[in-house]
Structure formats: structure tokens, C-alpha cells
Amino acid sequence: MLHLRLITPADRTDEVVRLAEKTVGTTHLVVLPGAARNPAGDVVMCDVAREAGDELIAGLRRLGIDDTGSIAVENIDLSLSRRADKAEEEAPGEGADAVLWEGLTDATHEESTLSFTYVAFITLATMIAACGVVLDNAILIVGAMAVGPEFGPLAGVCTALVRRYPRLALRSLTALLVGFALAMAVTVGFTLFMDAIGLFHRSDLEGKRPNTAFVYAPDAFSFVVAVLAGIAGTLSLTSAKSGLLVGVAISVTTVPAAANAAVALAYGDTAQTLGSTDQLLLNLLGILLAGTLTLLAQKWLWARQRQRTVRADGF
């Protein structure tokens, strides 16, 4: 269930209430006239089944409540109510399959901003991975994958393509490309520093590396894994199971490939630089393709579900 807290102008409250009442899956409707002060207006609260949430939020935006008032949405972790149970039963489809498009757009917008924190995380992840490739340490590689924040901009691009939001696409691509470029540039300097103090050696990079050689040797499995990870990551975002993103992060070699390319570039190893860059681009392409197609499939399946529900209800 979702909890909506709305601030509405007094002259729009009746329309908002009617919309909530006619939306299947809505319950616990509360109206507090004149309770809001900034902006001034009425406060309307209700609970809605997740599978009906996108319809209600879209209707509220058509009424302009996001411009003239406020729409706040929270997930309800526990709701002990027969009315809530009934609302979820009446709502079409399953809550786990529902996509809150407004929530997804907002989340990916926030995660795909080229901020200091984003750049810091991707840079630190790349430097950790650089230590991993030089030491041929798989544990460090996995740790770097978990730290990397690159799935946010990747999801932002996918969402922007499906929803046709060019600004979100540009913002996400900027964060993705500039973030990796800065991280790799810093890692080149980090590699030269570590070499100067005797902690990195070129022989370590060019020697046998059974645990990490895969990061500069892309093959068909690299693309397959990236596609599967893109599907899993997108589903984890749309179903609010964000904990699965950690598993997604450690299944693709974006950050390790960027790190290996930076270390190889510092040592002038053209072959590993090009191979790692190919690995990075292949993984990014696989995730973008899979994520976009997954969102399109979810959109199509949910539309079919809605049509079947409408026909079954006789409307």
C-alpha cells in the first residue's frame, strides 16, 4: 500500500476527493479543511494499493495539484486494516508487478545527477578496482563493483527513453560519461603515484592474472551477463526491491573494466586499454538495451492487464 498526503487549493478539493473515491484500490480517505499553511489550502490523505497508485497520481497531476499544491507519496510497510486488504483485492493486477512511473522518474532523476557524491563514489570504486586488478584480487574487484553508483544513470537513460524525457536522458548520459572519464583520469594519476612509491608494478599488470584477466577480455558472455543484470536491476527498481541492486552491481564489470583501462593507460599498455574499454562499452550497452526493453515490456503488460480489467468490469 501507498500513503498519499496532498495539499490542495480549497477550490480543487472536491475534484481531488472525487478522483480518490472513484479510483479502485483507494481507502482511508481523510480531508482536513484549511489545515495547510504553506501553501495554503486543504490537506487530503488516503491509502491506495500500489497497483492503483500510478493511475491516481497521474490523475492528480492532470488536475495540477503538483503545481498548485503538493503530492507526497510514502510506502506503507505495515497496514492492519480490513479496508486496506479489500482495496488491494479490488485493485487490478498485482502490486509487485506495478510500476510507479512518477516515482521511477523521480528516483532516477536524483540518482543520475552529476554531483560531488556521485563522482566521489565512482572514483573511489575505480581506484579500489585498480588495486584489485594489479593485485589480481577478486575480493577487491567485487568490493569495487558494490561501491560503484553507475546503475543510477543507466536506469535514468532507460527511463528517459521509455518516457521520452530528453532532459533526463541528457542528465543521465552526462553523469555516466563524465563520471567515468573523471574516475579514470584520477585513477591514472593514482596508478602513477602508487608506482612511484613502489606499490604498483607494471609486471603485475602484464603478468598472469587468473582472477581478473576477464576485465580486459570481452566475449559473448560479457554481453549476456550485462543483459541479464540490466533486466534484474530494472525489475528491482520498479518493484521497489532496491536491495537486489547490490547483486546486480557485482555481476557486471563496468567499474573494473574502467579501472583496468586506466591502469593500462598509465603504463602505456595499448592492448589492455583497448580491451578494457571494449569491455566497459559492451557492458554499458547490454545494460541500457536490457533496461529499456524491460521497461517497455512492463508498460505493455500493465496496459494489457488494465484492458482486461476494464472489459471484465463491463466498462
Side-chain angles (χ1 to χ4, degrees):
M1 293 290 289
L2 301 173
H3 177 70
L4 271 65
R5 186 188 72 249
L6 314 172
I7 296 178
T8 69
D11 60 345
R12 306 306 298 272
T13 300
D14 289 342
E15 293 179 89
V16 170
V17 170
R18 284 195 296 269
L19 174 64
E21 289 176 335
K22 75 175 185 180
T23 301
V24 177
T26 302
T27 187
H28 302 155
L29 181 62
V30 177
V31 180
L32 303 175
R37 293 293 180 267
N38 183 22
D42 303 332
V43 174
V44 179
M45 295 181 288
C46 66
D47 296 340
V48 60
R50 179 180 173 84
E51 51 268 43
D54 194 62
E55 177 186 356
L56 179 56
I57 294 171
L60 292 169
R61 296 200 66 180
R62 285 194 295 270
L63 291 176
I65 303 304
D66 54 326
D67 292 324
T68 58
S70 170
I71 304 173
V73 184
E74 299 175 336
N75 283 301
I76 299 177
D77 294 327
L78 177 64
S79 179
L80 303 178
S81 167
R82 290 184 179 179
R83 288 182 176 273
D85 294 339
K86 184 179 179 182
E88 288 188 316
E89 291 175 1
E90 293 176 346
E94 296 292 333
D97 297 333
V99 180
L100 291 175
W101 291 103
E102 296 298 336
L104 178 62
T105 302
D106 184 69
T108 52
H109 182 279
E110 181 179 351
E111 294 294 328
S112 61
T113 300
L114 186 64
S115 62
F116 172 81
T117 301
Y118 172 81
V119 173
F121 270 117
I122 197 168
T123 301
L124 290 170
T126 306
M127 293 166 68
I128 293 171
C131 295
V133 298
V134 172
L135 298 175
D136 193 34
N137 189 314
I139 295 177
L140 290 177
I141 293 294
V142 171
M145 290 176 174
V147 173
E150 72 277 9
F151 194 83
L154 288 167
V157 174
C158 298
T159 304
L161 291 175
V162 173
R163 303 212 71 189
R164 299 178 183 179
Y165 288 167
R167 288 187 178 180
L168 177 58
L170 179 60
R171 176 190 292 265
S172 301
L173 284 173
T174 299
L176 190 66
L177 299 178
V178 174
F180 268 117
L182 290 175
M184 292 172 70
V186 172
T187 303
V188 169
F190 174 70
T191 300
L192 295 174
F193 170 76
M194 294 291 280
D195 182 80
I197 63 176
L199 294 179
F200 279 12
H201 302 280
R202 181 174 185 143
S203 59
D204 294 328
L205 179 72
E206 298 179 346
K208 291 184 178 180
R209 290 159 49 195
N211 294 320
T212 59
F214 67 92
V215 300
Y216 61 88
D219 55 21
F221 280 106
S222 300
F223 185 73
V224 170
V225 171
V227 168
L228 296 176
I231 296 172
T234 303
L235 289 175
S236 73
L237 283 177
T238 57
S239 64
K241 297 184 181 296
S242 58
L244 297 178
L245 283 177
V246 176
V248 173
I250 62 176
S251 63
V252 291
T253 55
T254 48
V255 166
N260 200 85
V263 174
L265 182 62
Y267 283 123
D269 189 328
T270 304
Q272 285 203 39
T273 301
L274 293 177
S276 301
T277 302
D278 289 343
Q279 179 76 276
L280 173 61
L281 295 176
L282 191 64
N283 276 269
L284 293 177
L285 176 62
I287 294 173
L288 288 173
L289 179 63
T292 302
L293 292 177
T294 299
L295 288 177
L296 287 172
Q298 288 181 290
K299 187 175 182 179
W300 179 74
L301 289 171
W302 191 252
R304 289 199 62 186
Q305 173 67 44
R306 295 289 304 171
Q307 290 175 357
R308 286 197 296 268
T309 302
V310 170
R311 286 197 296 267
D313 292 341
F315 294 110

